[in-house]
Amino acid sequence: RCIAPAPTESIRGEELLSLYSNLASTAPSGRRKCPVFILDSGASSHMTPIRDVILALAPWAGSVSLGDMNVKLPVRGRGLTRLADLSPFLFVPKLTLSLISLSVLDRLGYHTTISGGRLVVTHHSHLVLTGTRSRATGLYHLDTDYVQALCNKDCGDDNLNPNPMNSDSVLLAAA
């Protein structure tokens, strides 16, 4: 079982990497069919280790730091996703989970509301995405309908979202 640190604690990069690794492996075998996307207020960019999430990957050199900056992971590219509001995404193959940066969305004028274990992001009164707080970790996960759209994959019965993605969500056509 993986427990997230209290918000007031400082977390080292190695601890964060371990937390993400444990979180990715906590679902029972065969139950989770879609990858985990964490809605992260501390992430500097949207990032994923899943190549198929990014359309038209462009080369990008650099690195991203985790936690207290002790762990740096190489960035191998950057590109758009099927969800226009979540572009661009960095391709970070050594990252264990995908991260959606709430800070980036905030800088771009998106509005985030968190209440009762639900996270909702809107832009100009249009629903952009929703998330649900994990009981095990306290972290907010992107709801399955949006993961399916990002990954272009059917997640079967692994639907955490009681409200399906509505028509206000913006999808990019595959190039």
Side-chain angles (χ1 to χ4, degrees):
R1 187 173 140 140
C2 178
I3 304 293
T8 57
E9 293 179 31
S10 174
I11 186 166
R12 292 187 11 232
E14 297 90 357
E15 292 169 340
L16 188 60
L17 194 56
S18 174
L19 169 70
Y20 287 164
S21 296
N22 290 337
L23 185 63
S25 64
T26 56
S29 178
R31 183 166 171 233
R32 177 166 290 286
K33 298 175 186 167
C34 274
V36 176
F37 283 75
I38 299 297
L39 300 162
D40 189 345
S41 62
S44 59
S45 300
H46 307 313
M47 56 190 85
T48 184
I50 307 165
R51 169 59 185 94
D52 292 343
V53 167
I54 302 173
L55 308 173
L57 183 69
W60 186 270
S63 63
V64 293
S65 298
L66 300 181
D68 64 0
M69 313 273 204
N70 283 339
V71 173
K72 287 191 176 200
L73 300 177
V75 175
R76 298 290 183 228
R78 180 180 180 199
L80 301 177
T81 68
R82 288 176 182 82
L83 291 176
D85 290 294
L86 298 181
S87 291
F89 247 86
L90 298 178
F91 177 50
V92 185
K94 293 186 179 184
L95 192 64
T96 306
L97 297 173
S98 297
L99 302 175
I100 295 173
S101 172
L102 296 176
S103 299
V104 166
L105 294 175
D106 181 55
R107 275 195 309 270
L108 296 173
Y110 290 71
H111 181 76
T112 301
T113 304
I114 302 173
S115 178
R118 299 286 299 145
L119 183 147
V120 176
V121 176
T122 58
H123 193 241
H124 300 299
S125 301
H126 295 285
L127 179 66
V128 174
L129 61 85
T130 62
T132 303
R133 185 181 62 230
S134 164
R135 290 182 196 167
T137 65
L139 298 174
Y140 285 82
H141 296 228
L142 183 65
D143 286 330
T144 303
D145 291 338
Y146 300 96
V147 175
Q148 289 180 157
L150 276 167
C151 297
N152 197 25
K153 175 181 179 180
D154 181 9
C155 294
D157 295 329
D158 189 30
N159 195 339
L160 303 173
N161 183 6
N163 304 313
M165 184 167 55
N166 74 21
S167 59
D168 289 336
S169 298
V170 181
L171 294 176
L172 280 178

